[in-house]
Structure formats: structure tokens, C-alpha cells
Amino acid sequence: QVQLSESGGGLVQAGGSLRLSCTASGSGYTMGWFRQSPGKEREFVAVIRWSGGHTYYANSVKGRFVISRDSAKTTVYLQMNSLKPEDTAVYYCVADRSIILSSLSLASQYDFWGQGTQVTVSS
């Protein structure tokens, strides 16, 4: 079992930036972010693979968000730039030890979830 601790959410104006952080209690996990808005399903945002550090993004955030990690590979960051009101959601950190490439964007394939952090972008 791994525990995920998120921080960094908040309120920002459109066009602004926020950085989310997520620290895992263990190592060896592919880690990423999903988000969920009221009345919508959880949506893939970005992920960084344990092996090789390859990153993948949803089309809706590509070019605006950057996922990265620390040298210990236990903390991931989501730098969110040029934020839009439609980015408003609860953002969840996810982790999995054995997820495969074809499943990276599937919420059901991640074993571990953080408690979520609210991001609100005002227009």
C-alpha cells in the first residue's frame, strides 16, 4: 500500500498558474493526475512513468501543463499555466506499480488515489 499526499490547490484567475504536488509514501510507482468536475466523470490529465520518466498528457492540457518529478521519484508536480475556467475541478493524484502503457489514461487501472485538491479558476 502507498499513501499519496497532495497539496497546492487553490483559487486563481484565468490565465494564471498553480503548481500541485503529490508525495508518495513509497517508491517504484508510475504517478499522475486525474481531475473531476461536478457532474462529470474523472478525466485523465497527465502521467509520468516510473521507468524512463516518459510523460503523457490529455489533449486539453497539452502545452499548458507540465508534469515532473523529484530525483527520488516519490514526488510529482503538476505545473499548470494559462489556466482556464474549464480547468476548475478536484485534482487527484494517482499511482500504480504495474500499469501498462495502453492503460495510462484509464482511471480504473490505478490502484492508489490521493484525497484530491480543489482547483478553481475564475473568469
Side-chain angles (χ1 to χ4, degrees), residues 28-57:
Y29 294 86
T30 286
M31 296 177 69
W33 297 90
F34 280 73
R35 65 187 182 186
Q36 188 169 23
S37 304
K40 295 186 178 181
E41 294 186 355
R42 288 188 180 183
E43 173 191 21
F44 169 74
V45 176
V47 65
I48 184 165
R49 297 191 75 187
W50 163 256
S51 177
H54 301 290
T55 58
Y56 303 87
Y57 297 91

Side-chain angles (χ1 to χ4, degrees), residues 1-22:
Q1 288 284 65
V2 67
Q3 294 185 335
L4 304 175
S5 178
E6 302 146 330
S7 62
L11 173 65
V12 65
Q13 288 188 333
S17 299
L18 281 175
R19 190 176 83 154
L20 305 182
S21 300
C22 174

Side-chain angles (χ1 to χ4, degrees), residues 16-89:
S17 299
L18 281 175
R19 190 176 83 154
L20 305 182
S21 300
C22 174
T23 299
S25 59
S27 61
Y29 294 86
T30 286
M31 296 177 69
W33 297 90
F34 280 73
R35 65 187 182 186
Q36 188 169 23
S37 304
K40 295 186 178 181
E41 294 186 355
R42 288 188 180 183
E43 173 191 21
F44 169 74
V45 176
V47 65
I48 184 165
R49 297 191 75 187
W50 163 256
S51 177
H54 301 290
T55 58
Y56 303 87
Y57 297 91
N59 287 335
S60 58
V61 307
K62 201 172 293 183
R64 300 187 298 123
F65 291 9
V66 178
I67 189 169
S68 61
R69 65 185 178 186
D70 68 350
S71 58
K73 302 179 184 179
T74 57
T75 297
V76 293
Y77 306 97
L78 185 68
Q79 178 66 41
M80 304 184 294
N81 301 320
S82 301
L83 282 162
K84 305 174 181 179
E86 51 263 44
D87 294 317
T88 296

Side-chain angles (χ1 to χ4, degrees), residues 88-100:
T88 296
V90 176
Y91 284 70
Y92 296 92
C93 179
V94 296
D96 197 275
R97 192 180 285 277
S98 59
I99 193 165
I100 61 175

Side-chain angles (χ1 to χ4, degrees), residues 106-119:
L106 301 178
S108 61
Q109 299 301 303
Y110 288 86
D111 286 338
F112 303 104
W113 290 73
Q115 79 283 359
T117 186
Q118 177 70 46
V119 172

